[in-house]
Amino acid sequence: MKLAFEYRFEIEFTKPVFNHFYSIRALPHTSQIVEDLTLNLKNVGSYIDGFGNKTLFGEILELHDKFDYSCSGVVSLPALTDTNDAHLGVFLQSTSLTPFCDELKKYDEKLKLHGLSPEQKASFVVSFIFEHFTYE
């Protein structure tokens, strides 16, 4: 199966910044065959993190008041199946920034993902986050 994708984001700062260091994990996974990829970043490095995600990193030394990123391309995907959840335990750990609180338990109850295909789960979670979360 081939999938065309496009992803973009923009961050506007409340005042100009400089010496801005960034890392981005918004690229096709290393398990996918990328046939075409276009990025809007220059002078960027990359590495593969411990979960197989290609991570871009770089810096913008001059003064700027926004940061934007976009990528687009085509990937070839194997047939979608449920993933092996053996390595996902790291995401279930409570931290000072992500405690198991009543708010998260309410979100978990709203999700009701049991019985959905991987495609349905992904679509539902993406829509749910877009509709319910605010980045601050």
Side-chain angles (χ1 to χ4, degrees):
M1 168 170 55
K2 291 188 181 201
L3 175 68
F5 69 92
E6 181 177 15
Y7 177 79
R8 63 176 88 188
F9 73 79
E10 181 177 292
I11 300 170
E12 291 187 23
F13 302 105
T14 54
K15 59 183 178 180
V17 298
F18 62 97
N19 290 343
H20 173 197
F21 295 84
Y22 62 86
S23 63
I24 299 172
R25 287 178 178 85
L27 287 168
H29 193 269
T30 55
S31 64
Q32 300 165 345
I33 299 168
V34 180
E35 296 181 8
D36 185 26
L37 181 65
T38 304
L39 302 174
N40 75 329
L41 296 174
K42 293 183 171 102
N43 302 323
V44 63
S46 68
Y47 65 93
I48 305 299
D49 73 10
F51 296 101
N53 300 303
K54 186 170 183 180
T55 303
L56 303 174
F57 65 92
E59 62 188 12
I60 304 172
L61 301 178
E62 63 273 0
L63 205 59
H64 59 285
D65 57 3
K66 77 176 183 174
F67 176 70
D68 63 336
Y69 167 74
S70 65
C71 68
S72 61
V74 176
V75 294
S76 292
L77 304 172
L80 291 175
T81 61
D82 280 322
T83 60
N84 176 356
D85 294 341
H87 69 283
L88 299 179
V90 68
F91 296 108
L92 300 175
Q93 303 303 312
S94 180
T95 72
S96 61
L97 297 175
T98 59
F100 294 128
C101 60
D102 289 336
E103 239 179 274
L104 287 177
K105 289 177 187 173
K106 288 178 190 174
Y107 278 122
D108 185 50
E109 291 169 7
K110 286 182 184 179
L111 290 178
K112 297 179 184 174
L113 297 176
H114 303 290
L116 298 179
S117 71
E119 295 95 337
Q120 291 169 321
K121 289 177 185 178
S123 179
F124 185 86
V125 170
V126 167
S127 296
F128 188 86
I129 290 172
F130 179 78
E131 293 169 5
H132 294 92
F133 282 68
T134 301
Y135 180 80
E136 294 180 6

